[in-house]
Amino acid sequence: MTTAQPGTGQRTITTSIPARLDRLPWSRWHWTVVIGLGTVWILDGLEVTVVGNIASRLSEPGSGLPITSGEVTGIAAALYVAGACSGALFWGRLTDVWGRKKLFMITLAVYLGATALTAVAFDTWWFFLFRFLTGFGIGGEYAAINSAVDELIPAKYRGRVDLMINGSFWLGAVGGSLLSILALNTDIFPADVGWRLTFALGAVLSLVILLVRRHVPESPRWLLIHGRDEEAERIVGDIERRVEAERNEPLPRAEGELTIHQRKNVTFTEIARTVFARYRRRSVLGFSLFIGQAFLYNAITFGFGAILTTFFDVPSGSTGYYFAVIAAGNFLGPLLLGKLFDTVGRRVMISGTYLLSGVLLFGTAWLFDRGSLSAATLTACWCAVLFFASAGASSAYLTVSEVFPMETRAMSIAFFYALGTAAGGISGPLLFAKLTETGVVGDTVLAFQIGAGLMCAAGLVAAFLAVKAEGRSLEDIARPLTAASSGAEAETPAGPGAGGSKPATA
């Protein structure tokens, strides 16, 4: 019979749905999830890179916008970061309350609209406003997408898929670098048209992703907790039928059940107590990973153009080619190393990628200080550093997504993302811009050493605090706040076949 919680009207159910999702083999349906949810990072990479590369064109007479290069890379960039931080926190809370699907549709729509309106900017204030709103939408995407992906992808593949999706930002950066070269060519596009087309393209691509995303369901795990277990059962049953039809064989029986006291909301007090008291060591880990990667990336990428032009006389119009090479190295890291996070394990791979990238950046700083590098060899060194750093940075999102309970997942992602983005996107540029723009070798070396030192420190923290999450269900890594104690869980699954959700008996 159904057991109701006194005064709440909510039920207590026993379910095998998480186990059924985790035991699924890889299928075409999972590729739908990856394409529908993951490809938005390509747009983010495209967006950020294009704006940085077209700053000089926007400031030229005839661009159609009365703005300086400093305002594009300074004020507009800061507003984008501020929008991303505030958007992550605002949408992150709503993602845990309203559901993953509703929010990953809304946040993409906000991004789409803001990007399209940036393309028709006619004054500086308009450009600033819609840069903020673009960041506001993309910040919400980080919370909604990472939580949805980790709750839909089987435990066996969760690490590599999460890393590949977050690393795809750099695939967009490659496209953004090449697209900006095309947009800046006035033989092809007038000065007041090319930059507008780059933003318009982002809006068109996001519309295509929005159409694909309609077919991605709500997270059954979220539905279970919020009293919509019948809907969760229908979604998982449909996925199972599609996978069985594709493989032409029945799925193995799922093992493992969970008893849940359904409820609508979790208070901020409960979230704070869970993240900062119950899982204090995991919070230290998340903080360290995000701060380390944020400063390393700013040590390299924020001043890369100035370093190439100042120390190696690379023409400003050619820096996009170098950045495209660096971005390719960033994408290859998560792509090639991702599987090892599921096989070798989280602790070894997270600490290893952080420490390796930090040590390699220390080595790059030493060679740069000796005058032993050219533009090409410096770029090669950066590629080696970022090959490992990108996998490590992507694992930071994976970590904070999987080591906190279901009810706090999106908010935890939002909090640590906002913290890292604020530190890296505000204090980082202020520090590294001053160091890399002086033209003094020692100052640039110091910038490299700061980023390398923080990355190594984060790697050491991960060596002691990283959670053994590979191959484990999310509910095993961090038990939901709404879960009953193990003694209250029923021992027999409901229904024939794979097993579904059922009311717990009194």
Side-chain angles (χ1 to χ4, degrees):
M1 67 178 182
T2 300
T3 301
Q5 300 174 55
T8 66
Q10 297 298 303
R11 298 174 302 144
T12 296
I13 65 164
T14 298
T15 180
S16 62
I17 279 180
R20 290 163 64 188
L21 287 170
D22 281 336
R23 67 82 153 86
L24 290 173
W26 192 260
S27 67
R28 286 192 294 267
W29 182 84
H30 293 106
W31 279 117
T32 301
V33 173
V34 170
I35 294 170
L37 299 183
T39 46
V40 72
W41 300 150
I42 297 176
L43 292 181
D44 188 21
L46 182 78
E47 180 91 19
V48 172
T49 307
V50 161
V51 172
N53 289 344
I54 67 174
S56 60
R57 175 52 43 81
L58 284 173
S59 64
E60 293 177 359
S63 71
L65 204 61
I67 194 170
T68 66
S69 178
E71 287 175 328
V72 176
T73 58
I75 298 175
L79 285 172
Y80 183 87
V81 169
C85 293
S86 56
L89 296 172
F90 178 78
W91 298 118
R93 173 58 176 164
L94 293 181
T95 300
D96 282 332
V97 175
W98 289 357
R100 296 7 179 168
K101 180 164 186 173
K102 185 176 292 185
L103 267 296
F104 66 58
M105 296 296 285
I106 292 174
T107 52
L108 183 58
V110 171
Y111 170 84
L112 189 160
T115 301
L117 289 169
T118 303
V120 295
F122 58 88
D123 207 345
T124 305
W125 68 267
W126 181 283
F127 186 81
F128 288 162
L129 172 63
F130 287 103
R131 289 308 296 158
F132 174 85
L133 291 176
T134 301
F136 193 72
I138 211 70
E141 285 279 290
Y142 276 95
I145 297 305
N146 280 290
S147 54
V149 166
D150 286 347
E151 290 165 13
L152 290 170
I153 297 298
K156 178 180 178 181
Y157 306 100
R158 189 173 60 241
R160 72 196 76 176
V161 171
D162 201 296
L163 261 70
M164 181 180 70
I165 285 176
N166 282 285
S168 67
F169 172 98
W170 296 101
L171 195 60
V174 173
S177 297
L178 300 178
L179 182 62
S180 63
I181 294 171
L182 181 67
L184 292 176
N185 190 337
T186 53
D187 292 334
I188 301 175
F189 299 111
D192 62 341
V193 172
W195 67 268
R196 296 182 188 275
L197 291 178
T198 60
F199 289 111
L201 177 61
V204 171
L205 292 175
S206 59
L207 178 60
V208 173
I209 295 173
L210 191 65
L211 295 175
V212 175
R213 193 172 282 188
R214 292 180 308 157
H215 302 291
V216 178
E218 179 57 87
S219 165
R221 286 177 156 103
W222 183 89
L223 292 169
L224 285 173
I225 287 176
H226 290 79
R228 295 163 61 180
D229 45 289
E230 292 182 359
E231 185 179 346
E233 176 63 40
R234 287 196 300 271
I235 290 172
V236 175
D238 178 63
I239 296 169
E240 289 172 330
R241 286 188 290 274
R242 293 174 63 176
V243 174
E244 286 179 333
E246 179 182 331
R247 294 172 62 86
N248 198 29
E249 62 181 11
L251 292 167
R253 186 181 182 84
E255 307 229 352
E257 289 187 325
L258 185 69
T259 297
I260 293 173
H261 301 307
Q262 295 177 328
R263 57 191 295 190
K264 292 294 183 183
N265 294 309
V266 177
T267 65
F268 271 117
T269 301
E270 290 175 285
I271 294 173
R273 187 185 302 119
T274 299
V275 174
F276 300 112
R278 180 179 175 185
Y279 291 111
R280 183 168 51 249
R281 288 162 61 93
R282 297 182 182 189
S283 294
V284 171
L285 173 65
F287 175 82
S288 302
L289 295 181
F290 270 90
I291 294 299
Q293 61 89 21
F295 274 89
L296 177 134
Y297 269 97
N298 277 281
I300 294 177
T301 60
F302 188 82
F304 90 97
I307 292 171
L308 290 175
T309 56
T310 302
F311 295 103
F312 301 105
D313 297 321
V314 175
S316 58
S318 300
T319 58
Y321 293 107
Y322 291 89
F323 191 79
V325 174
I326 294 171
N330 272 284
F331 177 64
L332 289 174
L335 184 67
L336 299 179
L337 299 178
K339 184 177 180 179
L340 299 179
F341 284 77
D342 287 320
T343 55
V344 174
R346 303 288 200 266
R347 177 168 296 184
V348 171
M349 291 306 299
I350 295 172
S351 60
T353 51
Y354 270 75
L355 287 168
L356 266 173
S357 59
V359 169
L360 287 172
L361 186 54
F362 272 125
T364 301
W366 180 73
L367 291 172
F368 185 83
D369 191 33
R370 287 171 53 89
S372 302
L373 298 174
S374 63
T377 54
L378 177 62
T379 301
C381 288
W382 281 341
C383 279
V385 171
L386 296 175
F387 176 83
F388 295 103
S390 182
S394 296
S395 73
Y397 293 95
L398 169 67
T399 297
V400 298
S401 176
E402 65 184 1
V403 302
F404 295 107
M406 163 79 201
E407 298 86 345
T408 70
R409 180 161 294 119
M411 194 63 205
S412 297
I413 297 168
F415 174 77
F416 288 104
Y417 166 76
L419 190 69
T421 301
I426 298 174
S427 59
L430 290 175
L431 172 64
F432 295 126
K434 292 179 180 179
L435 291 174
T436 57
E437 290 176 357
T438 62
V440 178
V441 170
D443 290 343
T444 300
V445 169
L446 177 60
F448 288 172
Q449 291 173 337
I450 292 172
L454 289 172
M455 201 70 171
C456 287
L460 292 174
V461 171
F464 290 98
L465 299 184
V467 178
K468 182 179 172 62
E470 58 275 7
R472 296 170 63 191
S473 72
L474 295 170
E475 292 73 22
D476 183 37
I477 299 167
R479 194 168 182 81
L481 302 180
T482 49
S485 62
S486 58
E489 292 180 21
E491 296 181 0
T492 55
S501 304
K502 68 175 186 297
T505 56

